[in-house]
Amino acid sequence: MQVTQDAALPGEAGALQPRLKTWFYAALALLLVARLALMALGPLADTTEARYGELARQTVVHGYWLMPHMDAQTPFFAKPPLSTWSSAVAMELLGVNEFAARLPALLFSSLAAWICYAWAGAHGVRQRWLVLPVLAATPIFFVSAGAVMTDAVQMLVVGGAQYFAWLAMQEKSRRARLAFWAFIGLGALAKGLATWALIGMPILAWAMLPGRRLAELWELWDWRGVLLALLLFVPWYAAAEHAYPGFLSYFIVGEHFSRFLVPGWTGDRYGFAHRQPWGAIWVFWLGGVLPWIVLFATRLTAVLRLRRATPLEAYLWCATLVPLLFFTFSRNIIGTYTLTAVPAFAVLAAGWLDRMEAAALRKAGMALAGFALLVLLAVPFILSRQEMSSERALLRAAAQAAPGAPLQYLAKPAFSSAFYGDTLIQPAAPGAPMPASGLVVVDNEKVAAIRGRVLFHGAHRTLLEVTP
């Protein structure tokens, strides 16, 4: 990719007329309603959302503010605490519920959108607000913006660091350098060293393009910034290792290297390694940016063919493609690993839309509004699928049948069981005899072997009332 000072794709023009904006506004409004509805109404689904929601609930209820805990006996070493802290604070303010657990993800995503808006201005996008419907309609962004996971905060940290790195290198701004290093420090509390790699690799790749100079990277160096970053994350890492010896070994070696370099890694204490085919990240990317995939493919082909781009456009392409190329050679991945590529891509997409002719832009807006309407209409279906992956309905049925009565689990409790059942859950010891009476939860395939009245039959578990 040749970096030039010329526009990469000249010849496109067309201002967004007020009547054309209506389609984009409508799409944005529909998607926001759908997102808020899912945040407020949907249960925390196993395993991911319920696990991180339970970590935050344990923090609030039992005071595990230093190290998140899955339960009293199990500290959670797999991720730093920034995401859990944010959900816990929201629960302290709004109560222990699904919306509070998810609200920080929406706030982090909104901040990421603000950074994209500022980035679009530097990219010369006249209608900078176009980044908002682009982001909202990107499926992986839409999902992560209202889910209890660590990915939204990592997206914010990576996008923010890359934005301020650009300002520091181009404008020689000390404030931008300090902001860059602040995001570096927060990255260590978001997802650790992996976040640093996702920040740094695209910047380094851009500096190595033809027409660039590696010396430009020195503009990022600032002793005060380095000190600021260290002050943000070192105290927690030191305190965590002191209180929980072995944390650093597991987190640094296992979660940062073994997880990605050892196929089917068996050292995961809290779940399982995700074994995917080589290159699966591109399948996840296709699904993650589905409405924009044709635009992505055609523009990438055009840039590669013309080999011309402005410095910032080349930078944005590096921020989009480098993480995808990096994960191409990893098999232990999931779909959210594409998320840090989304902010830069959204800025590029907003620029492409901004330069479209009116007729093409009208079609794009109408198609986007239609897509958003489909998402809104799909909310009841999505909620039903979430219920199938959660124990919330079962716990509610138990509370209605016998308020405050203990639940004897003859199946392994899920994370959502703990979140919604709290102290009512009584896991049975291995080999324990069948309870003579009370409320019993069993896996569906074992229902026929137990005499009792069915109170609730879910996708995986059944609630029974056993009587003498």
Side-chain angles (χ1 to χ4, degrees), residues 123-191:
H123 187 41
V125 180
R126 293 164 298 176
Q127 307 285 344
R128 289 188 287 173
W129 63 270
L130 279 168
V131 297
L132 303 180
V134 169
L135 286 169
T138 302
I140 188 60
F141 182 91
F142 178 86
V143 170
S144 300
V148 193
M149 299 186 295
T150 60
D151 301 282
V153 67
Q154 179 172 250
M155 173 185 63
L156 169 62
V157 168
V158 172
Q162 291 172 345
Y163 170 68
F164 285 108
W166 171 260
L167 292 184
M169 290 186 292
Q170 297 301 306
E171 300 180 3
K172 312 297 188 291
S173 166
R174 170 161 285 186
R175 288 185 178 180
R177 286 200 300 272
L178 291 176
F180 166 77
W181 285 104
F183 276 107
I184 292 293
L186 291 174
L189 294 175
K191 270 198 171 182

Side-chain angles (χ1 to χ4, degrees), residues 27 35 58 87 153 185 238 302 324 328 353 395 412 414 444 451 468:
R35 181 64 276 174
Q58 288 280 343
S87 289
V153 67
L324 303 178
T328 297
L353 291 173
L395 270 297
K412 182 180 179 181
N444 287 350
R451 296 181 62 182

Side-chain angles (χ1 to χ4, degrees), residues 143-460:
V143 170
S144 300
V148 193
M149 299 186 295
T150 60
D151 301 282
V153 67
Q154 179 172 250
M155 173 185 63
L156 169 62
V157 168
V158 172
Q162 291 172 345
Y163 170 68
F164 285 108
W166 171 260
L167 292 184
M169 290 186 292
Q170 297 301 306
E171 300 180 3
K172 312 297 188 291
S173 166
R174 170 161 285 186
R175 288 185 178 180
R177 286 200 300 272
L178 291 176
F180 166 77
W181 285 104
F183 276 107
I184 292 293
L186 291 174
L189 294 175
K191 270 198 171 182
L193 302 184
T195 305
W196 290 356
L198 291 169
I199 291 170
M201 288 188 301
I203 298 173
L204 178 61
W206 175 79
M208 296 176 66
L209 290 174
R212 310 311 311 168
R213 293 179 296 112
L214 282 172
E216 293 181 72
L217 297 180
W218 283 108
E219 295 296 336
L220 301 177
W221 183 255
D222 190 301
W223 280 109
R224 295 192 307 172
V226 173
L227 179 61
L228 174 61
L230 293 173
L231 289 174
L232 284 172
F233 75 86
V234 168
W236 178 78
Y237 276 84
E241 177 63 22
H242 177 74
Y244 302 91
F247 157 68
L248 287 179
S249 175
Y250 175 83
F251 180 63
I252 300 298
V253 178
E255 290 290 336
H256 287 88
F257 297 99
S258 299
R259 174 174 293 278
F260 300 104
L261 301 178
V262 181
W265 177 51
T266 58
D268 194 332
R269 298 182 182 183
Y270 311 102
F272 58 91
H274 302 270
R275 187 179 179 88
Q276 305 288 355
W278 299 112
I281 193 70
W282 293 98
V283 178
F284 293 141
W285 177 252
L286 294 178
V289 296
L290 185 61
W292 312 109
I293 197 60
V294 174
L295 194 60
F296 168 76
T298 55
R299 296 300 174 145
L300 177 60
T301 302
V303 168
L304 293 177
R305 185 178 66 250
L306 295 173
R307 296 183 179 275
R308 300 167 61 223
T310 65
L312 179 52
E313 186 172 14
Y315 187 83
L316 292 168
W317 272 116
C318 287
T320 301
L321 296 177
V322 169
L324 303 178
L325 293 171
F326 173 74
F327 286 120
T328 297
F329 305 102
S330 177
R331 302 182 70 176
N332 294 333
I333 60 173
I334 55 178
T336 53
Y337 285 15
T338 62
L339 189 59
T340 59
V342 168
F345 169 72
V347 177
L348 286 170
W352 301 330
L353 291 173
D354 189 50
R355 295 193 296 269
M356 278 186 178
E357 298 294 343
L361 200 59
R362 181 183 298 106
K363 292 180 180 179
M366 294 174 65
L368 196 64
F371 174 78
L373 180 60
L374 289 177
V375 173
L376 183 61
L377 294 175
V379 165
F381 173 77
I382 297 171
L383 291 174
S384 69
R385 301 298 297 181
Q386 286 180 305
E387 288 287 0
M388 292 174 63
S389 300
S390 175
E391 301 277 273
R392 183 177 71 172
L394 186 150
L395 270 297
R396 286 180 173 178
Q400 185 176 3
L407 273 177
Q408 302 173 78
Y409 259 71
L410 302 185
K412 182 180 179 181
F415 291 112
S416 61
S417 308
F419 185 86
Y420 293 107
D422 196 14
T423 57
L424 300 179
I425 302 297
Q426 294 185 354
M434 175 64 59
S437 63
L439 300 181
V440 177
V441 177
V442 298
D443 291 325
N444 287 350
E445 58 268 22
K446 297 181 180 180
V447 173
I450 302 175
R451 296 181 62 182
R453 184 166 65 97
V454 175
L455 300 180
F456 178 85
H457 183 74
H460 306 286

Side-chain angles (χ1 to χ4, degrees), residues 21-32 133 136-137 365 368-370 372-373:
K21 293 182 181 180
T22 303
W23 294 109
F24 292 93
Y25 289 151
L28 188 59
L30 292 171
L31 290 167
L32 181 59
L368 196 64
L373 180 60

